Amino acid sequence: MELKQLIKSRAHRILHRLDGYHPVSEISSIPVSAWNEIPRAVDEELIGYYINLGEEYKEVIVVTTRSLYILANDKWHPIAYTDIQSVEPQAVEEKHNVNSLQLYIKTGGVVVIPVTGGRGRFRDVWQFLRFLSRVVKDVQSISEDTE
């Protein structure tokens, strides 16, 4: 399966049950100007977006076939799947309090993204972790095959 299709499939299977996640078919529920401001590649397709609970487009995570885009402080911050080395939940004493992910970037940086929906052991952060971990593994596997 082509990487683009694999990422779309993973997003649908893993993220579609989250209350804060909306597939691209619901694109009209976010301001059009916000979509137009995303600096995406020509062959990049929008898959969906996640809105953190209690936020009004202040912290949105856009999922595409090539990257995540985080809307924070009225600016889009792209994170290409190819730039992510690994993903972990943010360290807290109790797992049911986890509400963000740490993305370890290949250049040495760490990006923290909030995923605040869900309750207790059913927090959305765990499904987002699963999605990103699988996508990063897929990307790494395909890049190893082409080397």
Side-chain angles (χ1 to χ4, degrees):
M1 183 182 285
E2 180 187 347
L3 182 60
K4 188 184 285 191
Q5 286 304 114
L6 188 57
I7 292 170
K8 285 179 173 180
S9 176
R10 290 202 186 282
H12 174 73
R13 287 191 330 252
I14 298 171
L15 301 177
H16 81 278
R17 291 185 187 102
L18 306 180
D19 288 338
Y21 181 76
H22 306 277
V24 76
S25 61
E26 298 176 16
I27 196 168
S28 61
S29 64
I30 204 170
V32 174
S33 61
W35 289 112
N36 294 334
E37 294 170 9
I38 297 174
R40 58 189 186 272
V42 175
D43 64 341
E44 188 170 12
E45 294 179 38
L46 297 169
I47 298 172
Y49 62 94
Y50 180 88
I51 299 175
N52 282 302
L53 294 179
E55 300 293 331
E56 292 183 20
Y57 308 120
K58 292 178 185 163
E59 289 190 357
V60 176
I61 303 167
V62 171
V63 179
T64 75
T65 53
R66 297 180 72 173
S67 304
L68 292 179
Y69 292 88
I70 314 302
L71 179 61
N73 301 320
D74 296 323
K75 185 176 178 188
W76 289 106
H77 303 275
I79 305 167
Y81 302 129
T82 56
D83 292 341
I84 302 171
Q85 180 68 40
S86 63
V87 182
E88 295 179 7
Q90 190 169 24
V92 294
E93 286 191 28
E94 297 181 25
K95 282 187 172 185
H96 66 272
N97 289 332
V98 174
N99 64 2
S100 60
L101 296 174
Q102 292 180 249
L103 282 56
Y104 292 88
I105 308 302
K106 291 179 180 177
T107 58
V110 177
V111 176
V112 176
I113 60 169
V115 182
T116 60
R119 291 192 176 99
R121 65 180 206 163
F122 299 107
R123 298 194 59 78
D124 292 353
V125 71
W126 300 113
Q127 294 306 314
F128 233 97
L129 173 65
R130 186 170 148 233
F131 167 73
L132 283 175
S133 295
R134 300 262 171 95
V135 168
V136 168
K137 187 175 180 179
D138 293 338
V139 168
Q140 291 171 346
S141 175
I142 288 174
S143 66
E144 287 173 3
D145 290 345
T146 59
E147 290 178 358

